[in-house]
Amino acid sequence: MVHERVRANQLRIWMEKYFSKSVLWILIFLLSASFQPAELRFLPTKLKITVLNELGNPVEGAEVTVFATKDDYRAETNAVLPTDKTDENGQVLFKGLDPIPYYIHADNSGQSNIGAGVLTSELKEGRINKVNTVIG
C-alpha cells in the first residue's frame, strides 16, 4: 500500500514536471511555425548577374541595367535600379527587387547581350537569384 502511494506520487511529480513542459514546447513550436512566412518578407530579393563573353569568360567592367518591362528595356528608360558595373568575376548584384521577371541589358565596349537571353524567370522572393548573360 505504501509502495503504491510512493509510486503514484512519483508519477504525479513526473507528470507535473515533464508533461506540462512538453505541452508548452509543442504550443511554442506550433505558434512559431505559423509565423515563418512573414519572416521571409524581411529578406530582400536579390539578382546576381554574371556577364560572360562568347568564350564563356567573365567580363569585368560591363555596364548592367535591369528593367521591369519590355517597353522600358527597348527604350532603355525607367531602369529599376541605377546601372552598375560588373566586378573582376563578371558579376553584379541588384538588391531589393520585386519577385517578377526582369529584362537585363549588359554592355561592354559596344558589345551587348541584345537577343541573347535578356529576360529572367520570375525571381524567388527573399533569395539571391542567379542569371548568366552573354555579350558578343
Side-chain angles (χ1 to χ4, degrees):
M1 186 87 160
V2 173
H3 184 64
E4 289 176 11
R5 276 192 216 156
V6 170
R7 184 177 251 171
N9 193 32
Q10 288 174 338
L11 181 60
R12 182 184 57 77
I13 291 171
W14 182 86
M15 291 282 288
E16 288 174 358
K17 187 175 181 181
Y18 295 106
F19 182 74
S20 61
K21 287 182 182 178
S22 297
V23 170
L24 179 63
W25 281 112
I26 289 170
L27 286 174
I28 289 172
F29 173 76
L30 291 174
L31 287 173
S32 67
S34 66
F35 291 112
Q36 284 181 348
E39 291 176 20
L40 290 177
R41 290 185 208 134
F42 294 113
L43 298 174
T45 302
K46 301 175 185 176
L47 178 59
K48 181 186 276 188
I49 301 167
T50 303
V51 178
L52 306 169
N53 65 18
E54 291 174 329
L55 299 174
N57 297 316
V59 178
E60 181 178 359
E63 293 183 347
V64 181
T65 311
V66 177
F67 300 95
T69 69
K70 190 174 192 176
D71 291 337
D72 288 343
Y73 167 74
R74 286 184 173 170
E76 294 188 35
T77 59
N78 302 319
V80 174
L81 294 169
T83 298
D84 202 355
K85 289 190 175 192
T86 57
D87 62 15
E88 62 275 0
N89 297 316
Q91 297 178 334
V92 62
L93 182 67
F94 292 94
K95 301 175 186 176
L97 298 171
D98 292 325
I100 62 171
Y102 289 95
Y103 291 84
I104 299 167
H105 178 74
D107 186 85
N108 188 45
S109 301
Q111 295 183 323
S112 72
N113 67 331
I114 292 176
V118 296
L119 179 62
T120 70
S121 58
E122 184 173 308
L123 302 187
K124 294 185 181 182
E125 187 173 10
R127 295 193 178 177
I128 299 174
N129 299 267
K130 298 178 182 177
V131 173
N132 292 343
T133 190
V134 178
I135 62 173

